[in-house]
Amino acid sequence: MKKNISLTRYLVEQQRVDGLIPGQLRLLLEVVARACKRISFAVNKGELGDVMGTAGSENVQGEVQKKLDIIANETLIEANEWGGHLAAMASEEMEGIYVVPNRYPQGEYLLMFDPLDGSSNIDINMSIGTIFSVLKKPEGHPGVHESDFFQPGTQQVAAGYCIYGPQTTLVLTVGDGVSMFTLDREQGSFVLIEENVKIPEDTKEFAINMSNMRHWDEPVKRYVDECLAGEEGPRGKNFNMRWVAAMVADVHRILCRGGVFMYPWDKREPQKAGKLRLMYEANPMSWLVEQAGGMATNGRQRIMDIQPTQLHERVSVVLGSKNEVERVTRYHLEAD
Ligand code: AHG
Ligand code: MN
Ligand code: MN
Ligand code: MN
């Protein structure tokens, strides 16, 4: 572990040394980290706090909202709206954008988040998390419009997640590699544990929800069948399978030890490109994976090149160890 470098000191050094992080972006990241700390404390209360179970409402995705979906969403909004660093926010749990109220100074950044990722794990005490992505508000016009958010993932200026697992760990990139910070609950601060995270280019571990096999497109079936064929099959090696049902946990595992994560298009909802959302799940995770030397496509093209047209746009996701993602993508292109 690095000598006790706090997130604050790390960001100041990145700001001072590389000029990568303007003061307002550093403030934004510190505020998001503090909000994640508060969400972590709520998550850790479990049944001892009023945070478990459903809230009895539905979100714009048609999903039943869990109490923690709403608590996390409100925590992120309350933490970020008054600081003067943001112009607007967008969230999985809100239909439209949330423009910073006039009583607060408007900043130059746009913040998107999945406030509570892996909601189906909440009531079984399994890892969950928060995912966030930061864009700059386009110049040249007053106010903020939903279309200001419709920027490809390559335009992100910061992206990260906080995983609420055995440890609460914040994982972050501002375009200069990936760093990890674990929450020291005694000090109440995030402490640097890893920087320049690298994903191995090869792996023997894939992550996909196998129960959807009959709904997959041929290239995904071909890839997974070859993994299952093991060392007697065309891959000549045995594979392991993992599926945590929380993207933050599966991506964290891949950043820590490699692997390939797939949530592909399937024919259950053929009109949708997939289950995961481009703006606040796929794009931030894709940038982290690419910054760690991995790859992220929708099966055919780089996720971060996709031009969004809707706030809650879905996308098919294949990300992780470069050589495996290349193979899955090649199988899609060969099938076209
Ligand atoms: P969310 O809880 O924010 O709606 O996201 C859940 C997503 C993602 O975290 C996970 O990889 C995937 O849903 C799991 O889907 P299945 O339950 O279909 O396996
Ligand atoms: Mn959800
Ligand atoms: Mn999610
Ligand atoms: Mn969510």
Side-chain angles (χ1 to χ4, degrees):
M1 187 184 87
K2 317 287 164 212
K3 58 184 188 310
N4 203 356
I5 295 180
S6 69
L7 174 68
T8 301
R9 174 174 165 188
Y10 176 85
L11 293 174
V12 166
E13 286 176 356
Q14 290 274 312
Q15 177 188 353
R16 186 174 55 233
V17 170
D18 306 336
L20 257 180
I21 312 181
Q24 285 299 312
L25 181 57
R26 180 164 67 79
L27 171 63
L28 191 167
L29 294 171
E30 296 244 37
V31 169
V32 168
R34 252 195 316 279
C36 289
K37 185 165 58 170
R38 281 177 53 196
I39 294 167
S40 171
F41 288 134
V43 166
N44 288 176
K45 278 218 172 35
E47 291 295 351
L48 304 179
D50 185 16
V51 301
M52 303 290 265
T54 62
S57 47
E58 258 192 22
N59 64 12
V60 66
Q61 333 272 341
E63 300 168 339
V64 173
Q65 288 180 303
K66 298 289 182 79
K67 287 181 185 168
L68 269 173
D69 284 324
I70 295 172
I71 292 166
N73 192 58
E74 287 169 356
T75 300
L76 282 156
I77 288 174
E78 285 159 7
N80 279 288
E81 64 178 348
W82 50 269
H85 49 279
L86 276 186
M89 298 178 237
S91 163
E92 177 198 349
E93 304 305 330
M94 295 189 295
E95 181 153 6
I97 64 170
Y98 179 90
V99 179
V100 168
N102 288 333
R103 62 182 178 280
Y104 299 128
Q106 278 220 356
E108 59 182 322
Y109 293 106
L110 303 174
L111 175 66
M112 295 157 287
F113 46 83
D114 175 356
L116 207 292
D117 176 62
S119 306
S120 65
N121 282 354
I122 292 170
D123 296 334
I124 58 166
N125 195 14
M126 291 293 287
S127 293
I128 49 183
T130 296
I131 309 171
F132 61 91
S133 171
V134 185
L135 295 167
K136 285 197 76 169
K137 182 174 97 68
E139 319 219 321
H141 62 264
V144 201
H145 312 289
E146 189 168 280
S147 56
D148 290 336
F149 284 78
F150 300 163
Q151 302 178 41
T154 48
Q155 297 304 305
Q156 295 174 97
V157 293
Y161 61 82
C162 192
I163 180 167
Y164 312 118
Q167 298 99 46
T168 289
T169 297
L170 181 78
V171 180
L172 177 66
T173 187
V174 291
D176 183 31
V178 175
S179 298
M180 297 186 171
F181 305 82
T182 289
L183 178 64
D184 177 332
R185 306 186 92 86
E186 278 107 49
Q187 289 182 44
S189 60
F190 282 98
V191 178
L192 181 67
I193 58 163
E194 202 60 60
E195 48 188 336
N196 293 323
V197 171
K198 285 294 170 227
I199 299 174
E201 292 196 347
D202 291 301
T203 182
K204 293 182 180 174
E205 198 158 64
F206 69 93
I208 193 165
N209 182 335
M210 292 294 283
S211 69
N212 299 326
M213 184 182 280
R214 64 190 182 285
H215 307 304
W216 296 337
D217 207 354
E218 275 315 305
V220 175
K221 278 192 187 121
R222 175 184 171 192
Y223 176 77
V224 172
D225 283 346
E226 288 181 356
C227 290
L228 296 176
E231 53 195 7
E232 298 81 38
R235 299 302 310 274
K237 60 183 180 179
N238 294 326
F239 279 75
N240 190 30
M241 196 279 283
R242 284 285 181 273
W243 187 252
V244 188
M247 189 183 194
V248 284
D250 283 310
V251 170
H252 193 70
R253 185 189 57 254
I254 288 169
L255 284 171
C256 292
R257 70 182 191 210
V260 57
F261 170 93
M262 293 164 279
Y263 211 114
W265 169 93
D266 71 46
K267 53 180 183 281
R268 288 176 294 171
E269 295 186 285
Q271 76 292 352
K272 286 183 182 165
K275 171 176 185 181
L276 301 180
R277 283 59 57 120
L278 175 63
M279 301 301 286
Y280 40 80
E281 288 174 317
N283 269 338
M285 292 311 207
S286 295
W287 199 23
L288 287 165
V289 165
E290 287 195 4
Q291 282 287 310
M295 192 173 174
T297 75
N298 65 356
R300 291 178 172 79
Q301 74 171 106
R302 187 185 181 210
I303 285 175
M304 284 172 52
D305 287 338
I306 295 172
Q307 175 55 49
T309 56
Q310 293 170 36
L311 214 43
H312 302 289
E313 181 166 335
R314 309 283 181 122
V315 67
S316 177
V317 178
V318 181
L319 61 75
S321 291
K322 186 166 168 296
N323 295 338
E324 291 304 310
V325 176
E326 266 173 358
R327 177 183 290 268
V328 180
T329 306
R330 188 169 71 248
Y331 289 3
H332 278 81
L333 297 175
E334 284 170 359
D336 285 350

